[in-house]
Amino acid sequence: MKKIVLASGSPRRKQLLEWAEVDFDIIVEATHESFPEGLTTTQAAIHIARQKALAVQACATYRRYDQHVPVLAADTIVVCEGKIIGKPADRDDAIRILHLLSGKKHEVITGVAIINGKEEKTFADITEVWFHELTHEQIVFYTDRYKPYDKAGAYAIQEWIGVVGIARINGDFYNVMGLPVSRVVREMGI
């Protein structure tokens, strides 16, 4: 199996690649998670992922690798009622976001960029998620216990709230965790 470079510090993406038995190193370069106006939500997720991959490809640490080691980057966004829901700023914001998602459908979109030299592949995977109605007490319990401040949409599907709060999903479960890993493996030919 060929080695890749994961341009992400996400413990969930790391775990998913380990489960898929992909040989990888991690290099993270700071990038702005912003995008030009006028992009669709899918295009926005891909744009941010591509920026992360390009930043790693241009860094000194990556230049020590063989030029044929692909860089994999991803960005996950949550969209509810047509609005992008980012990572919560703090506890109150996490509680506000979870109240917004309660009892509704939202989309989890992961944009993926794979850059190998001058060759680029980009795509996005979309999973629809429906939450049961959540009580304020459930939302506060989850927020205080799991502190979901580094997660788009203020939750992780593999944690308590996913087990008790999600009514159903349509699409790739692992996409909601942060990486549509089976598609990534197929696209990379590994």
Side-chain angles (χ1 to χ4, degrees), residues 85-154:
I85 310 297
K87 296 173 185 172
D90 54 27
R91 178 183 184 271
D92 290 342
D93 196 31
I95 291 169
R96 179 193 64 78
I97 290 169
L98 290 169
H99 273 291
L100 174 69
L101 299 178
S102 175
K104 295 181 188 146
K105 178 188 96 163
H106 63 275
E107 294 179 327
V108 177
I109 304 170
T110 301
V112 176
I114 303 163
I115 300 180
N116 191 356
K118 296 199 182 294
E119 182 183 332
E120 291 186 22
K121 287 184 186 179
T122 59
F123 63 88
D125 203 88
I126 300 172
T127 303
E128 296 173 312
V129 180
W130 286 262
F131 265 106
H132 291 292
E133 287 286 342
L134 301 169
T135 66
H136 180 72
E137 291 75 21
Q138 288 174 314
I139 289 170
V140 169
F141 168 79
Y142 175 72
T143 302
D144 289 345
R145 175 125 184 202
Y146 291 89
K147 302 184 183 346
Y149 310 128
D150 66 334
K151 297 167 180 71

Side-chain angles (χ1 to χ4, degrees), residues 70-86:
V71 177
L72 167 65
D75 187 71
T76 301
I77 61 174
V78 171
V79 179
C80 185
E81 298 176 338
K83 295 183 180 135
I84 294 176
I85 310 297

